Amino acid sequence: MHNQDIIDLVIFLMDYGPQLWERQNFEVPKTAVDSFWLAARAQIDSWTRQLKALETPPRNDLDYPFRYQRGGLAEEIITQELLTRIWTAVLHLYEQKTGNDYPASLVHNVYLSHLELRGRILGALNRPDYLPRADAQRLLQLCERTDRWNDLLLGILGSFGDVQSLAVDAYRLDEFAEDYRHIKTEARRRQTWKLMKASLRAAYNKRIFPYQPHSDWTLALFGHILGFFPPDIAEQSAHTHLLQAAQLIARCRKTEELLFAVVPEECG
């Protein structure tokens, strides 16, 4: 899983998110919501365990013995916050348009947990013994970049409804939204968005750290997001393999649960 997978999924949400409420007689499948919730909680728990394990370095003479693990985990949490915030905004708009608050309420809880972990990361970056100063500075710059992109993309989504509560900086979001409203023609809006997508991909083109701590749950999480959409829309994503992988992982997990229920001693 690379940064570009996250960015491509963010772009997919920006392009096709309105289909969740604009398509007649469509309701988000409850199975997709429940599967997403399970994968999201598993990912949050995995991140939490990894952060705790990396907080205390082993007893040796190495400086920053967990440098790449700490940095890679921080990079993943910070970068994926862009996806979490935009996905939360899309489902808040779905609630506003349809009155169905079930998906938004669950995803909002994931969003709050993600912000809590980001806060822990920022606190750790202030410790001189956590990462070399140059590494910490690059991660702080990543935070600033992600915050600006969050507000810019939320400014565009603001044309569909109220997403201001999800802004990093409400004043900055309003400025972006106002700039977007001043683009009068649909052709110019399409051209502007095309340039924005190119800039967004370029902004996250390279990872800071080679270590990538993602798990099967991250893969499943991305796939289950696509599962919220009508099949013909999900198939327009460049990452339909994520949906297939999520379905396969879910079947494997279910099989493991059934096997454990039948022969708990052997499976344990």
Side-chain angles (χ1 to χ4, degrees):
M1 194 72 61
H2 299 283
N3 286 347
Q4 289 302 307
D5 295 310
I6 298 174
I7 300 309
D8 285 345
L9 193 50
V10 169
I11 290 172
F12 174 84
L13 295 178
M14 296 295 296
D15 284 335
Y16 296 105
Q19 290 291 322
L20 292 180
W21 59 82
E22 290 179 350
R23 179 164 293 206
Q24 295 293 325
N25 302 319
F26 175 75
E27 185 173 344
V28 168
K30 186 177 184 298
T31 53
V33 182
D34 294 343
S35 296
F36 171 85
W37 169 252
L38 177 62
R41 292 311 312 172
Q43 185 189 53
I44 292 292
D45 290 344
S46 175
W47 279 343
T48 301
R49 288 194 300 271
Q50 290 181 71
L51 280 173
K52 184 176 181 180
L54 294 172
E55 281 178 353
T56 304
R59 295 180 179 178
N60 55 37
D61 297 329
L62 295 176
D63 290 332
Y64 308 110
F66 291 151
R67 176 185 175 188
Y68 293 112
Q69 292 92 330
R70 286 172 171 175
L73 182 60
E75 183 178 5
E76 181 171 273
I77 291 172
I78 293 168
T79 303
Q80 196 172 317
E81 187 210 329
L82 180 63
L83 173 63
T84 301
R85 197 182 292 260
I86 298 305
W87 183 221
T88 304
V90 167
L91 290 181
H92 271 284
L93 292 171
Y94 174 77
E95 176 187 349
Q96 292 172 31
K97 300 294 184 179
T98 67
N100 182 357
D101 64 350
Y102 180 62
S105 61
L106 290 186
V107 175
H108 193 82
N109 285 333
V110 174
Y111 162 72
L112 294 177
S113 296
H114 200 146
L115 289 188
E116 182 180 352
L117 288 177
R118 171 186 152 133
R120 287 180 59 181
I121 289 292
L122 292 179
L125 293 180
N126 287 322
R127 288 169 40 194
D129 62 334
Y130 195 76
L131 283 173
R133 192 59 209 161
D135 289 349
Q137 189 60 39
R138 292 166 74 189
L139 287 169
L140 291 172
Q141 290 171 350
L142 176 64
C143 282
E144 293 175 0
R145 184 189 318 145
T146 300
D147 288 347
R148 287 187 64 83
W149 276 109
N150 271 317
D151 287 339
L152 189 154
L153 297 177
L154 289 172
I156 297 175
L157 290 176
S159 61
F160 296 101
D162 183 11
V163 293
Q164 194 171 47
S165 64
L166 297 170
V168 179
D169 183 326
Y171 180 77
R172 182 170 57 193
L173 183 151
D174 286 341
E175 285 189 324
F176 284 136
E178 185 66 20
D179 290 342
Y180 190 70
R181 282 194 292 269
H182 283 161
I183 305 174
K184 299 301 182 182
T185 67
E186 186 60 30
R188 289 191 64 187
R189 286 194 175 198
R190 286 197 299 269
Q191 180 63 20
T192 299
W193 175 231
K194 182 179 179 180
L195 294 173
M196 285 182 180
K197 287 192 287 188
S199 297
L200 179 56
R201 287 192 172 103
Y204 293 89
N205 187 41
K206 293 182 179 180
R207 290 187 61 91
I208 299 173
F209 296 92
Y211 177 72
Q212 300 178 36
H214 63 265
S215 65
D216 286 348
W217 286 115
T218 303
L219 188 66
L221 178 73
F222 290 7
H224 289 315
I225 289 176
L226 295 178
F228 279 62
F229 291 82
D232 61 311
I233 297 297
E235 289 170 1
Q236 297 186 50
S237 166
H239 291 77
T240 52
H241 65 282
L242 294 176
L243 179 57
Q244 297 165 357
Q247 294 167 345
L248 176 60
I249 291 169
R251 287 196 293 269
C252 290
R253 299 292 184 184
K254 186 63 177 178
T255 301
E256 289 177 353
E257 292 174 3
L258 292 173
L259 286 173
F260 187 79
V262 174
V263 283
E265 292 82 5
E266 288 81 354
C267 291

